[in-house]
Amino acid sequence: MLKLYGFSVSNYYNMVKLALLEKGLPFEEVPFYAGTSPEALAISPRGKVPVLRTEQGFINETSVILEYIEQSQKGTPLLPSDPFERAQVLALAKEIELYIELPGRACYPEAFFGASVPEAIREKTKTELLQGIAALGRHGKFSPYVAGETLSVADLYFLYSVPLACGVAKKLFGIDLLAELPAAKALLERLGDNPNVQRIAADKEAAMPAFMAMVASKR
């Protein structure tokens, strides 16, 4: 059986978890905060989550894990079989990660954990988030899903990256990132009605107190 290592507060962990649930695959969740201990690095070379354990060994990096699941497992496809359409989905996922998730992450300490971030980083985040959302508006179809008519890997990145970026933009800059993308807002509501998404949200809520206590202990 596949084993998913990580923790329920991680957005990248939840991307993989949703893929496994949507495909109807049996898997076991293994609590794992990673880090730099020899034991953790033996599982995750960079000390990050998520990690997928297979019969052959460990696979790290979210995008690689998702591709592995798609290529090796049965269940509902999350990537098109047509090479061009597949490339469009993967490009959208990468654009969300590089131009929305990562810029927003730079300001997570201030937006969500009560720390402060240098003004230069705040300004860089603001500029990049606005550019990233504009790019998503140009490339995304939202008909009704990010890449078209069916749920895909692009939606996993969208669901677990864009709301966090919106939280950063609202709290730090007073900006509604999706103000000009009503179809994107509608998709978030649609995805929120998905039973698997609701299960993941409940697991995240249940895990949040322990996670916040861990964060506080490291300050």
Side-chain angles (χ1 to χ4, degrees), residues 5 35 52 65 81 124 129 134 137 154 158:
Y5 284 60
L52 187 72
I65 294 171
S81 58
K124 186 172 186 289
L129 284 180
F158 172 78

Side-chain angles (χ1 to χ4, degrees), residues 38-103:
E39 295 79 11
L41 294 177
I43 294 172
S44 175
R46 187 60 180 83
K48 297 168 60 180
V49 299
V51 178
L52 187 72
R53 184 169 188 172
T54 72
E55 291 183 357
Q56 292 82 18
F58 294 105
I59 300 173
N60 61 299
E61 297 301 330
T62 301
S63 62
V64 178
I65 294 171
L66 291 172
E67 285 248 35
Y68 171 83
I69 292 170
E70 191 68 20
Q71 293 172 5
S72 68
Q73 306 296 314
K74 296 180 180 179
T76 305
L78 295 176
L79 285 171
S81 58
D82 176 79
F84 180 81
E85 295 299 326
R86 189 184 190 98
Q88 295 303 309
V89 171
L90 293 174
L92 277 161
K94 182 59 68 175
E95 289 164 4
I96 291 169
E97 180 179 22
L98 293 180
Y99 310 133
I100 298 174
E101 205 282 338
L102 292 180

